Amino acid sequence: MIGFVFVTSAFAVLLAIDPKLDGSAPNWWLLMAAVCGFIYQTMDGTDGKQARRLKCGSALGECVDHGCDALVATIYAVFPMEILSLGLDNAVGIIFILNAQLAFFVSNLTLVHIGRQDIQLLDCQELQQLVQACALLKIRNPAILDTKIPIPMGERISKLVASVPLEGFDKVFAPGPLTIRRACVLLGVVFPIFHAITIAIKILLHYKSKPQKPNSKQLPGRGVLGLLWQIILIKGWYLGCFAAFWTMIRYEGQVAMVCWVLISMFGFGDLMNRLLVTRVAHVPPPTSLFEMPGAIGLILLVSMAYFRENIESIVHVGFFAAAACTIALHVLHARRTGNVICDALGVTWFTVPARCLSAKQK
């Protein structure tokens, strides 16, 4: 939680000083982002080991940890958008955010279906270090990100990506050589989608090699049908967010886009809660009318944009209200999910087990 507080502080400061995410944040923020990101990465990588050492680990703690990580997935997509000067008014930056959510979601699918997390050669730890390095390099020399990468067909790659019929690709990949900036953008656009496809194939091959025994009880969320439903959920969320973004670009400006980022961030957290409760507690996810608060926020946001002429005097207040509503529903949804886990495991919130206290005394 300490690392989460640090990285969300840097995120909040960024939205306050440069809501356009066009690269105009001062050097002190770049340093803040690198330091806070390093603190978060260190804390996130050591909390599990510390819990196991003190014998304090629990399914509820794991759920809280991964729930925070789900929110940070969006934050760690926003940081490179600022560092690489992508902006919040084009499809490239939005794909950055949605791809980060997609990569985190499918990474947790391996824990649900295979029982262990799939670690790639280039994974979240390496990508976080890359973001921190780019921030520090930009402080040292902003022009270094435009350094040419001497690889064959570099200009052809840029030209090919620039032909993608989505707003922003022609600007980011204007005619010219492949640079460090463009290579980073290409990595954020292509790698998560490739990663998601390979994970889905790996899980299907796992079920093919280990078919379910007759009359055996299937755990909630497992099996090919469970995988299919989870893929439908994440793809529906991806396309819904992208459609809402396109509406914001056509009808509204910067305030709506910042609210879109917040709704996407906390709405994805709710989607991850659905997955976490099945993975951690082996129980079905909670069901309610507010199962997908992020979807409610997106609908409110798009509605405000469509009817902006009728509510022009309060439209910006409406955008912030939609974001605030999504955040509040996320907190309630997370609490309800935690209660489901507590009931399933017979534990209570924020209670230190006796074995943990005895381990500390030793």
Side-chain angles (χ1 to χ4, degrees), residues 26 78-79 157 172 179 187 196 249 252 257-259 343 348 357:
V78 169
F79 282 4
I157 293 175
V172 176
T179 62
L187 180 67
I249 287 294
E252 273 301 332
M257 291 309 303
V258 171
C259 292
D343 294 340
T348 56
L357 294 175

Side-chain angles (χ1 to χ4, degrees), residues 62-63 65-67 69-70 73 100-118 123-124 195 199 203 221-222 227 230 268 271-280:
E62 185 180 359
C63 187
D65 176 52
H66 282 265
D69 293 341
Q101 296 175 358
L102 175 65
F104 185 82
F105 187 88
V106 298
S107 178
N108 278 269
L109 283 183
T110 59
L111 281 167
V112 172
H113 296 279
I114 300 178
R116 63 181 184 277
Q117 193 161 15
D118 184 78
D123 215 272
C124 61
H195 175 62
I199 289 296
I203 294 174
R222 274 66 169 183
L227 174 65
Q230 289 150 4
F268 176 69
L271 184 61
M272 279 305 307
N273 281 339
R274 291 181 61 93
L275 189 65
L276 290 171
V277 73
T278 60
R279 179 174 70 81
V280 172

